[in-house]
Amino acid sequence: QVQLVESGGGLVQPGGSLTLSCAASGSRLDGYAIAWFRQAPGKEREGVGCDSSSDGSTDYADSVKGRFTISRDNAKNTVYLHMNSLKPEDTAVYYCATDRTPGCVGWSQAIPYIDVWGQGTLVTVSS
C-alpha cells in the first residue's frame, strides 16, 4: 500500500517561494496521478493541482495558476509542489494525495473518493 509523506512547509513572506515534497513509500508513484490539496483554517479542503502519470499533463486551480507548478522525480519516488509569488491567502495545510489511478480527470472534485493522503504540511505566508 502506498504511503505519502509531505515536507517542506514553513513560514514565508508574501512574494516569497517555497517547495513542498511528497515522498512515497510502499509503491512506485510512476503509475499514479498525484494531486495537491490545501485546507485553510475554518475552510473546506480545496484542490491546488494535479499531475497525471498517464500523459504527463498537469492541471491547476485558477487561484494558483501561473504561480504554482508540480514536478516529479521518479528516481526519488517524490513529487514536488513549487510555489512562487506566495500570498497570505495561500496559508494552509497542504496535502498530497492519490486515488491510485493514472489520470487527473475530475481531480478537483475527487476528495471523497481519494483513499491515500499524506499527513499534511503547514505553509504560513505572513510578514
Side-chain angles (χ1 to χ4, degrees):
Q1 175 75 345
V2 60
Q3 295 181 323
L4 303 175
V5 177
E6 302 95 336
S7 62
L11 174 65
V12 61
Q13 292 188 341
S17 299
L18 204 60
T19 294
L20 306 183
S21 300
C22 173
S25 62
S27 179
R28 299 292 307 170
L29 287 182
D30 310 56
Y32 298 154
I34 299 295
W36 286 90
F37 296 85
R38 66 185 181 185
Q39 188 164 17
K43 295 189 176 181
E44 292 186 352
R45 195 168 297 190
E46 64 176 6
V48 174
C50 184
D51 181 65
S52 170
S53 70
S54 59
D55 60 7
S57 65
T58 52
D59 188 38
Y60 300 95
D62 288 343
S63 58
V64 306
K65 203 169 289 184
R67 300 188 298 122
F68 291 12
T69 58
I70 299 173
S71 66
R72 289 182 186 241
D73 186 334
N74 287 330
K76 295 183 178 180
N77 213 28
T78 299
V79 176
Y80 302 96
L81 178 66
H82 308 278
M83 305 184 294
N84 298 313
S85 303
L86 283 161
K87 305 175 182 179
E89 51 264 42
D90 294 318
T91 294
V93 177
Y94 284 73
Y95 301 88
C96 60
T98 182
D99 62 359
R100 294 176 290 155
T101 64
C104 289
V105 177
W107 68 274
S108 62
Q109 308 300 319
I111 289 176
Y113 311 107
I114 293 175
D115 58 347
V116 182
W117 293 87
Q119 84 288 352
T121 185
L122 176 63
V123 173
T124 303
V125 184
S126 175
S127 55

